[in-house]
Amino acid sequence: MQGERKFGSMAGYSVAGSLIALVGTVILVGYFRMELAGALVGKCFYFAVLVVIFVFVLKAVLGKPQRRAVKEFGLMKKMVLPAFIFLAGTTVLFQVDKLFVRNFAPQLSGGYGAITTWGTLPLYFIAPLVFVVFPIASAEHAGGRSVMKFFRQAMAGGLIVTVACGIVFYAIGGFLMNILNEVYVPYAKYLGVYAVIMGFHGMIQIIASVEMARHRYSFLWFMTAGAFVMTGVLYFMRGGLTIPVVLTVLVITHLIVLVALMVFVAKVEPAADESSAKPT
């Protein structure tokens, strides 16, 4: 459905699935007293409902299978490994800091958890851009047209979200932390920085989505190297981890990866993509 650009329908079906799963979870936990098991079953029920809905909707949208499906399946097989590396790299960039704080600086885990709870919001604001830009870039590339217009628009949107959230979270960080618990208020000074880091992370995902849509995977070298280096630095500094140290490593790593990807796209893109967009 993402490829068919039926974003409104996907949102509606997701909300419907969520409501159905919520009702099921309430019944299992509240009426049958299944507690944790009921919550887990409700979570599984949510995904099962979505799968059933999307399968029936896609059958109506796509109709009968076409011969080209064989060719497309071959293309999908070629994308599996790059997609796996992409997901692994983004997961490491997003999660490894939390793992190190939890295991090597447990006294900071509560405050750092509060920072990441609010500070991750920019990533969720940028996520719709990532979700939409992939099928658009893929369609434009398949038609031999330049994707730079959509790329610049998506990156501009990501930058606006990043700057806005960084400023807002820096200004009202104390208020936001107090909502969770007043003991987390001293950590508010780090909230704006973490929000900017997550904005960088979202912009990295925008670039990666555009490159994946064009079946260009060289960017994975930059992302994978950044993830490995960040993990190695945090590991060697695990004995003296503090929140400023962790955030410094995150800022430097994400900024280097982001700039490297932007320079790579700027150097490779114009000659190849714009020339393919010229009429023949």
Side-chain angles (χ1 to χ4, degrees):
M1 293 189 69
Q2 183 182 3
E4 292 292 323
R5 307 188 195 183
K6 294 185 176 296
F7 304 117
S9 298
M10 291 186 67
Y13 296 138
S14 296
V15 171
S18 300
L19 292 176
I20 294 172
L22 177 62
V23 172
T25 302
V26 170
I27 293 174
L28 291 174
V29 175
Y31 184 76
F32 290 101
R33 305 295 181 185
M34 294 180 65
E35 298 180 348
L36 179 59
L40 293 175
V41 171
K43 188 80 170 180
C44 295
F45 185 61
Y46 164 71
F47 290 110
V49 169
L50 286 186
V51 168
V52 172
I53 291 176
F54 287 150
V55 165
F56 278 101
V57 172
L58 282 175
K59 287 181 66 176
V61 171
L62 300 179
K64 296 181 180 180
Q66 304 294 322
R67 292 182 179 178
R68 61 179 296 186
V70 177
K71 179 180 178 181
E72 292 175 351
F73 182 72
L75 178 60
M76 288 173 58
K77 290 194 295 185
K78 294 179 181 179
M79 294 183 65
V80 168
L81 181 58
F84 173 79
I85 297 174
F86 165 63
L87 292 173
T90 53
T91 300
V92 171
L93 288 173
F94 181 64
Q95 294 286 2
V96 74
D97 57 308
K98 305 174 186 64
L99 180 66
F100 275 94
V101 170
R102 187 181 304 116
N103 287 277
F104 298 108
Q107 72 280 6
L108 301 174
S109 59
Y112 195 73
I115 294 170
T116 59
T117 297
W118 286 113
T120 307
L121 286 179
L123 187 58
Y124 297 130
F125 294 148
I126 296 175
L129 295 175
V130 179
F131 190 78
V132 171
V133 77
F134 180 84
I136 294 178
S138 181
E140 293 299 301
H141 176 70
R145 297 179 293 273
S146 174
V147 303
M148 287 303 290
K149 175 183 176 182
F150 304 104
F151 171 74
R152 294 189 185 103
Q153 290 175 345
M155 290 297 288
L159 181 61
I160 291 172
V161 170
T162 300
V163 173
C165 288
I167 294 173
V168 171
F169 285 7
Y170 179 80
I172 64 171
F175 170 76
L176 295 176
M177 288 299 197
N178 192 58
I179 293 177
L180 298 178
N181 194 309
E182 62 181 8
V183 301
Y184 298 139
V185 173
Y187 296 94
K189 57 187 177 183
Y190 305 117
L191 189 54
V193 177
Y194 191 84
V196 170
I197 295 170
M198 289 296 99
F200 289 163
H201 190 87
M203 295 171 71
I204 290 172
Q205 289 189 330
I206 290 174
I207 298 175
S209 295
V210 172
E211 293 298 277
M212 292 280 287
R214 294 185 294 176
H215 313 297
R216 300 196 329 187
Y217 309 117
S218 297
F219 76 93
L220 292 171
W221 290 104
F222 300 103
M223 181 176 292
T224 304
F228 272 109
V229 170
M230 187 178 76
T231 303
V233 171
L234 289 175
Y235 179 79
F236 284 112
M237 301 182 70
R238 65 191 185 279
L241 286 181
T242 63
I243 291 180
V245 168
V246 174
L247 294 183
T248 300
V249 174
L250 290 180
V251 168
I252 294 175
T253 303
H254 280 79
L255 189 57
I256 290 176
V257 172
L258 178 59
V259 171
L261 292 181
M262 292 180 67
V263 170
F264 172 75
V265 172
K267 285 186 175 181
V268 176
E269 170 65 23
D273 199 54
E274 290 178 9
S275 62
S276 67
K278 293 180 180 179
T280 57

